[in-house]
């Protein structure tokens, strides 16, 4: 009996144990299934939020908040990162950039899958883009693109490439804009509507670069897709652009008028009357080119209704030309006066704004430079006192220590002190160069405005604004790109041409061996040589010419500055005069300092002069 009871006990125990295992497995399976269901629930909530983002922003926020709450409950960082990205996008729509940035920074603190890190950086770039900080936006978009290129997320990569292209286009870096928009186009087959927008933007970039074969190819493909999807708004833009193209470049005025009329019809249908002025003007301009003056006047009269600013000036100019064609000179003169009045008003406003902005920059920079100069002088004085103290200490140590160790230690100390002093003096001299440019800018603008010379004052403002921007932004940097240096030189030479009444000419060539936006040379190093060529080389010259060439051989970037002036003989007694006139002392110190502080950098200046002219060659090696 005892044996049977013990056997029954074991059998019952095994039965309950087996039942417990089954129940436990069922519980684990149910828990896993619950997590899967919650994962799907978050994805569904995020999808609903995305769909409602354009039409019902409050509802979109409601669903993304639920997604964030559920993600935190199940402790899934990947889902939480997705939800944060979606919510950050909604905050960007509402221009709540601080809230969006906080969510994205939270993402960056975690280890994320590549595609989510790429999306996070993309949204951070978009925040900077909306805040007009294009440099930061571009940096973030490029980082995002580099990460997204390693994933298969072509849809997001298309958006990132497109935004990089848009920023470069707004900065008029058309080559880079073309490069990234073409990359976006190659990946856009998944969505024809997105492809359409890229084609329209890309066609504008081609037009800006006068690449007309590529322009027509891309814009006609865009037209085909827009017709397929009945995208009337985009079609109206395409037809407006084609009307301008066939009037100005294609020289087919019948086609220009046809496309212009199509654009007018679509914009009336869409009730986008705010852009009708430009479209009416395009058609009127086409008929003007065809010498059908009555038709031109009919469309131009419609264009003038409600037109403002520079657009109205264009319309009045076309009306003037049309009435000249009809030999109605009285009416033509009337529209010419209207056009001039608008042009004068616009020019005066632009000049007032530019002078005010320039004056404000000048005063601000002048104050800042005074502070920098005083600070630098104080540092130099402190450095001298410190140097004297160390010298005394060195003498004491020299008496106590072994002669050889004391000597080499003191020598090393002196070299370091001299290097620090050179760097401080270089900074002092740089800050003293800027006020000279700024003062001349204000002086010249004031003279031209007093003379009522509007064209020169406008040209002077344009060129000097570029030069001032370069000086203000780059003077604290040791190096700048060839592209920036050439732009600064072109602006400077344009200003000198105005001052010298075009008594000389210039050319600036950049060889194909040079990568303009990559190859670097010391900042502000070429301008003093060009200045010397104008002031000394071409002095009293009638047909003077300055030729600047950038080229690269192996690892050496060279710049030659050549003039056809009277030249000079390089004698020992003239050396100091030459150095002073060309700011050679500052340049030589700048090169010496860079040779010491910049690893593997080597800069050399060579001057060759004869009665036929002078050539300065600057060579820079950075291996």
């Amino acid at each position: 009996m005892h044996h049977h009871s013990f056997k029954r006990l074991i059998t019952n125990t095994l039965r309950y144990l087996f039942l417990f295992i089954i129940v436990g497995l069922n519980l684990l399976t149910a828990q896993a299934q619950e997590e899967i269901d919650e994962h799907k629930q978050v994805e569904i909530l995020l999808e609903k939020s995305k769909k409602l983002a354009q039409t019902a922003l409050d509802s979109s926020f409601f669903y993304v908040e639920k997604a964030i709450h559920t993600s935190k409950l199940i402790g899934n960082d990947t889902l939480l990162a997705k939800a944060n990205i979606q919510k950050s996008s909604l905050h960007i729509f509402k221009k709540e950039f601080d809230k969006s940035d906080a969510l994205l920074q939270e993402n960056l603190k975690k280890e994320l899958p590549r595609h989510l890190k790429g999306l996070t950086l993309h949204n951070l770039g978009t925040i900077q883009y909306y805040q007009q900080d294009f440099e930061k936006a571009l940096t973030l978009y490029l980082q995002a693109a580099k990460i997204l290129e390693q994933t298969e997320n072509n849809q997001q990569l298309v958006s990132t490439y497109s935004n990089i292209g848009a920023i470069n286009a707004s900065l008029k870096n058309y080559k880079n804009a073309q490069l990234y928009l073409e990359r976006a186009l190659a990946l856009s087959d998944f969505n024809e509507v997105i492809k359409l927008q890229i084609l329209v933007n890309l066609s504008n970039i081609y037009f800006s670069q006068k690449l007309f074969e590529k322009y027509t190819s891309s814009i006609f493909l865009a037209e085909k897709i827009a017709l397929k999807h009945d995208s009337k708004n985009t079609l109206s833009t395409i037809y407006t652009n084609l009307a301008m193209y066939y009037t100005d470049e294609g020289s087919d005025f019948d086609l220009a008028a046809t496309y212009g009329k199509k654009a007018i019809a679509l914009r009336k249908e869409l009730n986008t009357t705010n852009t009708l002025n430009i479209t009416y003007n395009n058609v009127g301009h086409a008929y003007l080119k065809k010498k059908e003056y009555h038709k031109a006047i009919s469309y131009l009269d419609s264009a003038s209704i409600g037109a403002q600013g520079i657009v109205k000036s264009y319309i009045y100019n076309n009306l003037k030309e049309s009435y000249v064609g009809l030999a109605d000179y009285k009416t033509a003169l009337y529209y010419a006066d209207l056009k001039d009045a608008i042009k004068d008003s616009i020019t005066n406003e632009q000049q007032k704004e530019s002078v005010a902005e320039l004056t404000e920059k000048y005063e601000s920079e002048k104050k800042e430079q005074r502070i920098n100069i005083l600070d630098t002088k104080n540092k130099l004085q402190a450095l001298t006192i410190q140097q004297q103290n160390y010298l005394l200490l060195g003498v004491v140590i020299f008496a106590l220590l072994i002669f050889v160790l004391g000597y080499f230690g003191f020598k090393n100390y002196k070299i370091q002190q001299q290097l620090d002093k050179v760097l401080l003096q270089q900074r002092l001299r740089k800050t003293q160069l800027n006020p000279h440019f700024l003062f001349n800018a204000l002086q010249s603008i004031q003279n031209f405005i007093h003379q009522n010379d509007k064209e020169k004052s406008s040209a002077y403002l344009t060129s000097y604004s570029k030069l001032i921007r370069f000086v203000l932004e780059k003077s604290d940097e040791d190096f700048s790109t060839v592209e920036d240096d050439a732009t600064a030189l072109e602006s400077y030479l344009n200003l000198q041409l105005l001052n010298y009444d075009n008594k000389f000419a210039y050319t600036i060539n950049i060889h194909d061996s040079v990568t303009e936006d990559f190859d670097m040379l010391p900042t502000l190093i070429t301008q003093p040589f060009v200045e010397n060529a104008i002031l000394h080389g071409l002095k009293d010259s009638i047909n003077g010419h300055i030729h600047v060439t950038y080229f690269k051989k192996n690892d050496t970037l060279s710049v030659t500055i050549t003039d056809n002036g009277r030249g000079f003989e390089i004698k020992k007694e003239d050396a100091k005069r030459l150095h002073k006139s060309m700011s050679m002392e500052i340049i030589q110190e700048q090169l010496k300092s860079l040779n010491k502080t910049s690893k593997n950098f080597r800069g050399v200046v060579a001057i060759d002069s004869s009665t036929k002219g002078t050539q300065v060659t600057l060579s820079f090696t950075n291996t």
Side-chain angles (χ1 to χ4, degrees), residues 280-292:
Y280 272 121
N281 181 63
N282 290 343
V283 178
H285 192 210
Y287 280 121
L288 172 61
K289 292 282 190 178
K290 289 182 69 179
K291 298 183 180 180
E292 295 182 16

PDB file of all heavy atoms in Angstrom, residues 280-292:
ATOM      1  N   TYR A 280       1.368  87.596 -68.478  1.00  0.00           N
ATOM      2  CA  TYR A 280       0.901  88.540 -69.500  1.00  0.00           C
ATOM      3  C   TYR A 280       2.085  89.282 -70.129  1.00  0.00           C
ATOM      4  O   TYR A 280       2.125  89.495 -71.346  1.00  0.00           O
ATOM      5  CB  TYR A 280      -0.059  89.551 -68.873  1.00  0.00           C
ATOM      6  CG  TYR A 280      -1.506  89.109 -68.855  1.00  0.00           C
ATOM      7  CD1 TYR A 280      -2.201  88.998 -67.662  1.00  0.00           C
ATOM      8  CD2 TYR A 280      -2.175  88.825 -70.042  1.00  0.00           C
ATOM      9  CE1 TYR A 280      -3.547  88.604 -67.632  1.00  0.00           C
ATOM     10  CE2 TYR A 280      -3.513  88.439 -70.035  1.00  0.00           C
ATOM     11  CZ  TYR A 280      -4.192  88.327 -68.832  1.00  0.00           C
ATOM     12  OH  TYR A 280      -5.503  87.936 -68.827  1.00  0.00           O
ATOM     13  N   ASN A 281       3.044  89.682 -69.302  1.00  0.00           N
ATOM     14  CA  ASN A 281       4.211  90.399 -69.817  1.00  0.00           C
ATOM     15  C   ASN A 281       5.019  89.520 -70.776  1.00  0.00           C
ATOM     16  O   ASN A 281       5.524  89.994 -71.802  1.00  0.00           O
ATOM     17  CB  ASN A 281       5.103  90.852 -68.655  1.00  0.00           C
ATOM     18  CG  ASN A 281       6.317  91.628 -69.137  1.00  0.00           C
ATOM     19  OD1 ASN A 281       6.204  92.696 -69.722  1.00  0.00           O
ATOM     20  ND2 ASN A 281       7.488  91.072 -68.900  1.00  0.00           N
ATOM     21  N   ASN A 282       5.139  88.228 -70.441  1.00  0.00           N
ATOM     22  CA  ASN A 282       5.876  87.301 -71.319  1.00  0.00           C
ATOM     23  C   ASN A 282       5.230  87.226 -72.710  1.00  0.00           C
ATOM     24  O   ASN A 282       5.934  87.255 -73.729  1.00  0.00           O
ATOM     25  CB  ASN A 282       5.921  85.906 -70.700  1.00  0.00           C
ATOM     26  CG  ASN A 282       6.799  85.854 -69.476  1.00  0.00           C
ATOM     27  OD1 ASN A 282       7.606  86.747 -69.263  1.00  0.00           O
ATOM     28  ND2 ASN A 282       6.658  84.827 -68.669  1.00  0.00           N
ATOM     29  N   VAL A 283       3.894  87.109 -72.743  1.00  0.00           N
ATOM     30  CA  VAL A 283       3.200  87.030 -74.038  1.00  0.00           C
ATOM     31  C   VAL A 283       3.347  88.351 -74.799  1.00  0.00           C
ATOM     32  O   VAL A 283       3.614  88.368 -76.008  1.00  0.00           O
ATOM     33  CB  VAL A 283       1.709  86.683 -73.840  1.00  0.00           C
ATOM     34  CG1 VAL A 283       0.996  86.642 -75.182  1.00  0.00           C
ATOM     35  CG2 VAL A 283       1.566  85.341 -73.127  1.00  0.00           C
ATOM     36  N   GLY A 284       3.168  89.460 -74.068  1.00  0.00           N
ATOM     37  CA  GLY A 284       3.342  90.761 -74.713  1.00  0.00           C
ATOM     38  C   GLY A 284       4.740  90.943 -75.274  1.00  0.00           C
ATOM     39  O   GLY A 284       4.911  91.479 -76.386  1.00  0.00           O
ATOM     40  N   HIS A 285       5.733  90.481 -74.536  1.00  0.00           N
ATOM     41  CA  HIS A 285       7.125  90.580 -75.001  1.00  0.00           C
ATOM     42  C   HIS A 285       7.345  89.745 -76.258  1.00  0.00           C
ATOM     43  O   HIS A 285       8.072  90.150 -77.177  1.00  0.00           O
ATOM     44  CB  HIS A 285       8.063  90.114 -73.886  1.00  0.00           C
ATOM     45  CG  HIS A 285       9.495  90.438 -74.143  1.00  0.00           C
ATOM     46  ND1 HIS A 285      10.531  89.670 -73.666  1.00  0.00           N
ATOM     47  CD2 HIS A 285      10.081  91.431 -74.855  1.00  0.00           C
ATOM     48  CE1 HIS A 285      11.675  90.175 -74.061  1.00  0.00           C
ATOM     49  NE2 HIS A 285      11.426  91.258 -74.779  1.00  0.00           N
ATOM     50  N   ALA A 286       6.713  88.572 -76.319  1.00  0.00           N
ATOM     51  CA  ALA A 286       6.839  87.715 -77.507  1.00  0.00           C
ATOM     52  C   ALA A 286       6.250  88.415 -78.736  1.00  0.00           C
ATOM     53  O   ALA A 286       6.854  88.421 -79.823  1.00  0.00           O
ATOM     54  CB  ALA A 286       6.136  86.377 -77.259  1.00  0.00           C
ATOM     55  N   TYR A 287       5.062  89.011 -78.587  1.00  0.00           N
ATOM     56  CA  TYR A 287       4.454  89.738 -79.714  1.00  0.00           C
ATOM     57  C   TYR A 287       5.268  90.978 -80.085  1.00  0.00           C
ATOM     58  O   TYR A 287       5.336  91.365 -81.257  1.00  0.00           O
ATOM     59  CB  TYR A 287       3.015  90.134 -79.383  1.00  0.00           C
ATOM     60  CG  TYR A 287       2.035  88.990 -79.570  1.00  0.00           C
ATOM     61  CD1 TYR A 287       1.262  88.528 -78.507  1.00  0.00           C
ATOM     62  CD2 TYR A 287       1.903  88.368 -80.809  1.00  0.00           C
ATOM     63  CE1 TYR A 287       0.374  87.473 -78.670  1.00  0.00           C
ATOM     64  CE2 TYR A 287       1.009  87.314 -80.985  1.00  0.00           C
ATOM     65  CZ  TYR A 287       0.251  86.866 -79.924  1.00  0.00           C
ATOM     66  OH  TYR A 287      -0.615  85.824 -80.103  1.00  0.00           O
ATOM     67  N   LEU A 288       5.906  91.604 -79.098  1.00  0.00           N
ATOM     68  CA  LEU A 288       6.793  92.736 -79.380  1.00  0.00           C
ATOM     69  C   LEU A 288       7.949  92.291 -80.266  1.00  0.00           C
ATOM     70  O   LEU A 288       8.312  92.965 -81.236  1.00  0.00           O
ATOM     71  CB  LEU A 288       7.314  93.322 -78.065  1.00  0.00           C
ATOM     72  CG  LEU A 288       8.399  94.401 -78.163  1.00  0.00           C
ATOM     73  CD1 LEU A 288       7.894  95.620 -78.925  1.00  0.00           C
ATOM     74  CD2 LEU A 288       8.860  94.812 -76.766  1.00  0.00           C
ATOM     75  N   LYS A 289       8.525  91.119 -79.949  1.00  0.00           N
ATOM     76  CA  LYS A 289       9.628  90.584 -80.762  1.00  0.00           C
ATOM     77  C   LYS A 289       9.146  90.236 -82.179  1.00  0.00           C
ATOM     78  O   LYS A 289       9.911  90.331 -83.146  1.00  0.00           O
ATOM     79  CB  LYS A 289      10.209  89.331 -80.098  1.00  0.00           C
ATOM     80  CG  LYS A 289      10.933  89.590 -78.793  1.00  0.00           C
ATOM     81  CD  LYS A 289      12.309  90.144 -79.033  1.00  0.00           C
ATOM     82  CE  LYS A 289      13.125  90.183 -77.744  1.00  0.00           C
ATOM     83  NZ  LYS A 289      14.477  90.684 -77.967  1.00  0.00           N
ATOM     84  N   LYS A 290       7.852  89.830 -82.284  1.00  0.00           N
ATOM     85  CA  LYS A 290       7.286  89.522 -83.612  1.00  0.00           C
ATOM     86  C   LYS A 290       6.878  90.787 -84.377  1.00  0.00           C
ATOM     87  O   LYS A 290       6.440  90.716 -85.525  1.00  0.00           O
ATOM     88  CB  LYS A 290       6.042  88.636 -83.454  1.00  0.00           C
ATOM     89  CG  LYS A 290       6.325  87.205 -83.026  1.00  0.00           C
ATOM     90  CD  LYS A 290       5.041  86.404 -82.949  1.00  0.00           C
ATOM     91  CE  LYS A 290       4.474  86.172 -84.346  1.00  0.00           C
ATOM     92  NZ  LYS A 290       3.242  85.379 -84.322  1.00  0.00           N
ATOM     93  N   LYS A 291       7.006  91.935 -83.716  1.00  0.00           N
ATOM     94  CA  LYS A 291       6.629  93.245 -84.286  1.00  0.00           C
ATOM     95  C   LYS A 291       5.118  93.355 -84.515  1.00  0.00           C
ATOM     96  O   LYS A 291       4.662  94.133 -85.343  1.00  0.00           O
ATOM     97  CB  LYS A 291       7.396  93.538 -85.568  1.00  0.00           C
ATOM     98  CG  LYS A 291       8.907  93.611 -85.353  1.00  0.00           C
ATOM     99  CD  LYS A 291       9.649  93.974 -86.624  1.00  0.00           C
ATOM    100  CE  LYS A 291      11.148  94.045 -86.355  1.00  0.00           C
ATOM    101  NZ  LYS A 291      11.924  94.404 -87.569  1.00  0.00           N
ATOM    102  N   GLU A 292       4.349  92.554 -83.753  1.00  0.00           N
ATOM    103  CA  GLU A 292       2.892  92.681 -83.774  1.00  0.00           C
ATOM    104  C   GLU A 292       2.519  93.565 -82.581  1.00  0.00           C
ATOM    105  O   GLU A 292       2.107  93.109 -81.518  1.00  0.00           O
ATOM    106  CB  GLU A 292       2.238  91.306 -83.694  1.00  0.00           C
ATOM    107  CG  GLU A 292       2.532  90.442 -84.915  1.00  0.00           C
ATOM    108  CD  GLU A 292       1.842  89.084 -84.857  1.00  0.00           C
ATOM    109  OE1 GLU A 292       0.900  88.918 -84.039  1.00  0.00           O
ATOM    110  OE2 GLU A 292       2.251  88.182 -85.619  1.00  0.00           O
TER     111      GLU A 292
END
